[in-house]
Amino acid sequence: MDDIVKQAIAKWPRVPAVHGWLGLDMRGRWYLRDDATQAQGPFPRARGSLLEHEKLLEFIARNYEADAQGRWFFQNGPQRVFVELELTPWIWRVQPDFSVISHTGLGATVEDCLLDEAGRVYLSTPVGLGLVHTQDVPLAAEAIDAGQWVPEDVQAADLPARYGFVVSPHADVLASNSATGRP
């Protein structure tokens, strides 16, 4: 996390968190979801505006992490912006040597390879579970053929509980508010 972000948190410790405003798709792209987009439905059905500003993307990447409940967020100064995930918190890019780099530029070591009912390939690493980018599935197949990775069959719906991440923190907030009668 950037030092300036840590300083902002210390200076303004009680800034409310934001839910539903940022989404991460299955290709590692970030989407800004304003009120109008959120009114159209949940992510990824209503994606919002693709973020393309290089410096903003770098800032998000440096300040992207998870809380103790497995909710992924971007720490924007003193404000925590929870991320709606299309599928997983990480999107892995497979390199020709079968090493992997996340959508944020973080390298990791593959611990497990998983294959779901739709044929999607996931990799478990010490930093968490991620989906292999669609363009890199041929390289993942090469790693499997070479014996580098041995895929385990899984159901996609089981992955959040198994790997401890929340796909939609916004849905959790809406459900909690509904149960307590809050808007």
Side-chain angles (χ1 to χ4, degrees), residues 1 20 25 39 61 69 73 82 97 105 107 112 120 128 171-173 175 180:
M1 189 177 297
D25 78 359
Q69 290 79 39
F73 63 89
F82 285 99
D97 65 356
D112 293 305
R120 294 178 292 226
D172 287 354
V173 166
T180 60

Side-chain angles (χ1 to χ4, degrees), residues 60-120:
I60 291 171
R62 288 192 312 271
N63 296 286
Y64 178 61
E65 50 189 76
D67 67 11
Q69 290 79 39
R71 300 173 302 178
W72 285 82
F73 63 89
F74 152 55
Q75 190 70 45
N76 183 25
Q79 187 167 57
R80 192 166 278 191
V81 180
F82 285 99
V83 178
E84 298 293 294
L85 305 173
E86 184 167 1
L87 206 54
T88 61
W90 297 105
I91 306 302
W92 298 116
R93 298 306 311 255
V94 181
Q95 306 305 299
D97 65 356
F98 308 137
S99 62
V100 296
I101 299 173
S102 77
H103 66 285
T104 65
L106 180 68
T109 304
V110 175
E111 294 176 332
D112 293 305
C113 177
L114 310 165
L115 185 65
D116 77 6
E117 67 278 6
R120 294 178 292 226

Side-chain angles (χ1 to χ4, degrees), residues 2 52-63 74:
D2 289 354
E52 298 181 287
H53 189 278
E54 185 177 328
K55 295 296 181 190
L56 176 58
L57 295 172
E58 290 170 3
F59 184 63
I60 291 171
R62 288 192 312 271
N63 296 286
F74 152 55

Side-chain angles (χ1 to χ4, degrees), residues 7-180:
Q7 292 168 7
I9 293 168
K11 188 172 182 177
W12 299 289
R14 292 186 174 81
V15 174
V18 175
H19 295 84
W21 283 80
L22 187 63
L24 176 68
D25 78 359
M26 293 192 317
R27 301 191 95 202
R29 297 176 298 202
W30 298 102
Y31 288 85
L32 182 62
R33 305 181 70 245
D34 61 14
D35 283 331
T37 300
Q38 290 181 50
Q40 295 173 8
F43 187 79
R45 189 176 76 210
R47 289 186 183 274
S49 302
L50 178 65
L51 295 178
E52 298 181 287
H53 189 278
E54 185 177 328
K55 295 296 181 190
L56 176 58
L57 295 172
E58 290 170 3
F59 184 63
I60 291 171
R62 288 192 312 271
N63 296 286
Y64 178 61
E65 50 189 76
D67 67 11
Q69 290 79 39
R71 300 173 302 178
W72 285 82
F73 63 89
F74 152 55
Q75 190 70 45
N76 183 25
Q79 187 167 57
R80 192 166 278 191
V81 180
F82 285 99
V83 178
E84 298 293 294
L85 305 173
E86 184 167 1
L87 206 54
T88 61
W90 297 105
I91 306 302
W92 298 116
R93 298 306 311 255
V94 181
Q95 306 305 299
D97 65 356
F98 308 137
S99 62
V100 296
I101 299 173
S102 77
H103 66 285
T104 65
L106 180 68
T109 304
V110 175
E111 294 176 332
D112 293 305
C113 177
L114 310 165
L115 185 65
D116 77 6
E117 67 278 6
R120 294 178 292 226
V121 181
Y122 305 83
L123 301 174
S124 172
T125 74
V127 298
L129 181 74
L131 178 71
V132 170
H133 191 286
T134 55
Q135 291 179 333
D136 296 342
V137 170
L139 278 171
E142 286 181 33
I144 291 166
D145 287 344
Q148 294 284 323
W149 306 335
V150 178
E152 171 192 343
D153 289 333
V154 296
Q155 296 295 307
D158 297 337
L159 296 175
R162 180 174 172 181
Y163 288 93
F165 64 92
V166 175
V167 174
S168 179
H170 189 225
D172 287 354
V173 166
L174 292 174
S176 175
N177 287 350
S178 176
T180 60

